[in-house]
Amino acid sequence: MVDYRITVLPGDGTGREVMTEAARILDAISESTNLGFEQTIIQCGGQHYLETGQVWAEGSYAVCRDESDAILLGAIGWPGAKLENGDMAGGEVILGLRSGLDLFANVRPIKLYEGVKHKIHGNFSQQWAPDKVDLVVLRENTEGLYHSLLHRSAASAQGLAEYEPPEMEFPGLHGEVAWDPRPISKFGSHRLIETGFRLAGRRNGNPDGETVVHCVDKSNVTRGCQLFRKTFDEVALTYPEIKAEHAYIDAFTMWLVRNPEWFDVVVTTNMFGDIATDLGSVLQGGMGMAASANVGDEHGMFEPVHGSAPKYAGQNKVNPIASILSVQQMLGWLGRRKNDEALNNASRVVDQAVAEHLSEGKQVTYDLGGSATTEAVGVAIAARVKAILSEQ
Ligand code: IPM
Ligand code: MN
């Protein structure tokens, strides 16, 4: 029996409900294999802050850093939960872990499973087929436009001063000015882009059968994006067997919706990736289907892309599949890292169980056109995972 230590951070709102279903999947795997998962649950986030005055208990960060083989996160963010400086309460949890544990790659698959309708209105939707949407966006996760908030969290922990905007006179810049510097480093870009090319090498290409990495940036305008693109071109030279393409972020959003089959792996900067993947989720049936992995060289944190959905919190209503697919990513990452074929197999089985569940289409939540509860979907997929594993 191998025991892996999984730290579960349910966080806010519906994050708590979907993490229960994620845990159910892990339990199903343990019951039918030699894999064990020791789950440590740590309450955290904006609601926790309102209840206790702390975003999480003292020592929680150290548990994530030192006592976890992987971390699962539900969702962070709650209306009215703000720190004294006005920043969102819980930001240190999600953004602090991303930067503190050097989780430099935010890996966000956009895949339309058979049986799921994408959420674009109009007649064009009839022309779409699941085999047109299967790409992965890699969002840089530790710098870019998120830098100022990351810096503020670090600065307050270490008693340092916040950034002050530089003195500048420029047309349009008068009176009060807020300033969010957007540093992009060659180091940060390089490790993200390298991860993208390696991932492309493991995949079967885009729906057109082409193995290609797209660099998505705004290098016609910003210095940071020029450095990102230059770094991309350098890395691309070392992967002659993989096609390398460029797109500006504005045009990319259009092509993503119009011709998703062109894309296989996409690498981009932090905020662009944040925005583009919410848009991309529409192609896969909505945010309830969008999973993500935050990974670095030493640590991994896995979370659904959706937020805490306060409107639906506590109603046993939201789709747990984004979280279940985040578990699937976690198992695959851990399997490669620990060289454990049982984990790799479990990851494939979770994907298969989700695919079969969706193509059967009987029990789906409201967002996919059904009326099943969060729990019912979790229970059904967990049962399928067990059934597949016990037949092996
Ligand atoms: C996400 C979220 C976060 C982000 C928020 C909660 C800070 O939107 O994971 O995409 O902007 O990165
Ligand atoms: Mn987001």
Side-chain angles (χ1 to χ4, degrees):
M1 179 89 165
V2 189
D3 259 320
Y4 291 106
R5 298 161 306 169
I6 310 298
T7 298
V8 183
L9 308 171
D12 292 313
T14 55
R16 299 176 176 187
E17 294 155 60
V18 292
M19 277 303 105
T20 305
E21 303 317 313
R24 201 188 299 282
I25 300 297
L26 291 179
D27 292 341
I29 296 168
S30 304
E31 284 164 30
S32 15
T33 62
N34 281 334
L35 293 165
F37 300 101
E38 190 191 304
Q39 299 176 37
T40 303
I41 298 176
I42 298 180
Q43 299 302 340
C44 59
Q47 282 179 291
H48 192 72
Y49 178 77
L50 293 177
E51 285 154 20
T52 66
Q54 282 185 309
V55 295
W56 53 3
E58 211 74 38
S60 301
Y61 177 77
V63 172
C64 293
R65 186 192 53 205
D66 304 329
E67 291 164 45
S68 312
D69 291 309
I71 303 162
L72 275 172
L73 172 68
I76 294 289
W78 195 251
K82 281 202 182 349
L83 302 177
E84 271 163 36
N85 70 2
D87 288 338
M88 65 180 280
E92 300 107 290
V93 175
I94 182 168
L95 300 174
L97 284 169
R98 284 178 184 169
S99 110
L101 302 183
D102 235 356
L103 308 174
F104 58 82
N106 195 321
V107 184
R108 300 186 157 185
I110 301 175
K111 173 171 157 183
L112 182 64
Y113 281 84
E114 217 176 303
V116 178
K117 294 196 183 81
H118 65 73
K119 303 201 102 176
I120 300 179
H121 288 290
N123 294 331
F124 282 101
S125 62
Q126 307 307 321
Q127 299 175 4
W128 286 49
D131 59 4
K132 294 279 181 226
V133 184
D134 186 0
L135 65 140
V136 183
V137 176
L138 268 77
R139 157 189 180 190
E140 201 293 322
N141 219 18
T142 53
E143 51 185 42
L145 252 182
Y146 282 66
H147 176 78
S148 66
L149 181 52
L150 295 170
H151 184 272
R152 275 200 299 284
S153 306
S156 75
Q158 294 163 35
L160 304 171
E162 272 190 30
Y163 281 141
E164 285 296 334
E167 292 282 332
M168 48 183 147
E169 269 303 317
F170 201 73
L173 274 184
H174 297 292
E176 194 179 339
V177 175
W179 192 59
D180 294 291
R182 178 180 179 256
I184 304 265
S185 73
K186 175 144 194 162
F187 173 77
S189 305
H190 187 276
R191 58 187 184 174
L192 186 266
I193 293 163
E194 185 73 43
T195 307
F197 275 89
R198 268 189 265 126
L199 172 61
R202 292 201 301 273
R203 284 169 49 86
N204 297 322
N206 65 18
D208 285 345
E210 197 176 46
T211 293
V212 52
V213 182
H214 279 79
C215 175
V216 171
D217 61 52
K218 192 74 184 175
S219 55
N220 48 346
V221 178
T222 76
R223 281 273 186 269
C225 282
Q226 285 160 11
L227 179 58
F228 189 81
R229 184 178 282 212
K230 186 174 95 164
T231 310
F232 174 85
D233 289 342
E234 287 169 12
V235 175
L237 287 177
T238 67
Y239 289 90
E241 71 289 3
I242 296 178
K243 198 168 166 193
E245 294 273 15
H246 302 123
Y248 293 137
I249 179 66
D250 47 353
F252 170 72
T253 58
M254 168 187 62
W255 289 326
L256 177 63
V257 175
R258 204 187 64 187
N259 293 94
E261 70 277 10
W262 289 352
F263 301 104
D264 177 10
V265 171
V266 172
V267 292
T268 191
T269 59
N270 202 341
M271 181 69 90
F272 292 162
D274 178 43
I275 298 167
T277 51
D278 272 28
L279 171 65
S281 80
V282 181
L283 308 179
Q284 59 184 150
M287 293 295 272
M289 296 297 298
S292 79
N294 301 265
V295 294
D297 292 331
E298 302 300 331
H299 301 275
M301 176 168 80
F302 302 81
E303 49 165 331
V305 177
H306 64 70
S308 62
K311 197 165 114 191
Y312 296 118
Q315 293 173 38
N316 195 14
K317 209 176 155 179
V318 298
N319 191 348
I321 294 180
S323 284
I324 293 172
L325 289 175
S326 303
V327 170
Q328 183 252 327
Q329 276 186 286
M330 181 188 88
L331 296 165
W333 175 81
L334 212 48
R336 276 193 303 282
R337 196 175 148 69
K338 304 279 183 184
N339 215 352
D340 184 339
E341 192 38 44
L343 285 169
N344 293 331
N345 180 59
S347 172
R348 287 189 295 269
V349 167
V350 174
D351 186 57
Q352 185 188 337
V354 168
E356 287 177 11
H357 178 85
L358 289 167
S359 83
E360 198 180 271
K362 281 197 192 131
Q363 272 183 315
V364 291
T365 42
Y366 78 95
D367 55 316
L368 298 184
S371 59
T373 62
T374 308
E375 189 182 352
V377 174
V379 167
I381 296 175
R384 219 178 260 274
V385 165
K386 273 178 91 167
I388 300 171
L389 284 169
S390 58
E391 273 168 28
Q392 284 183 339

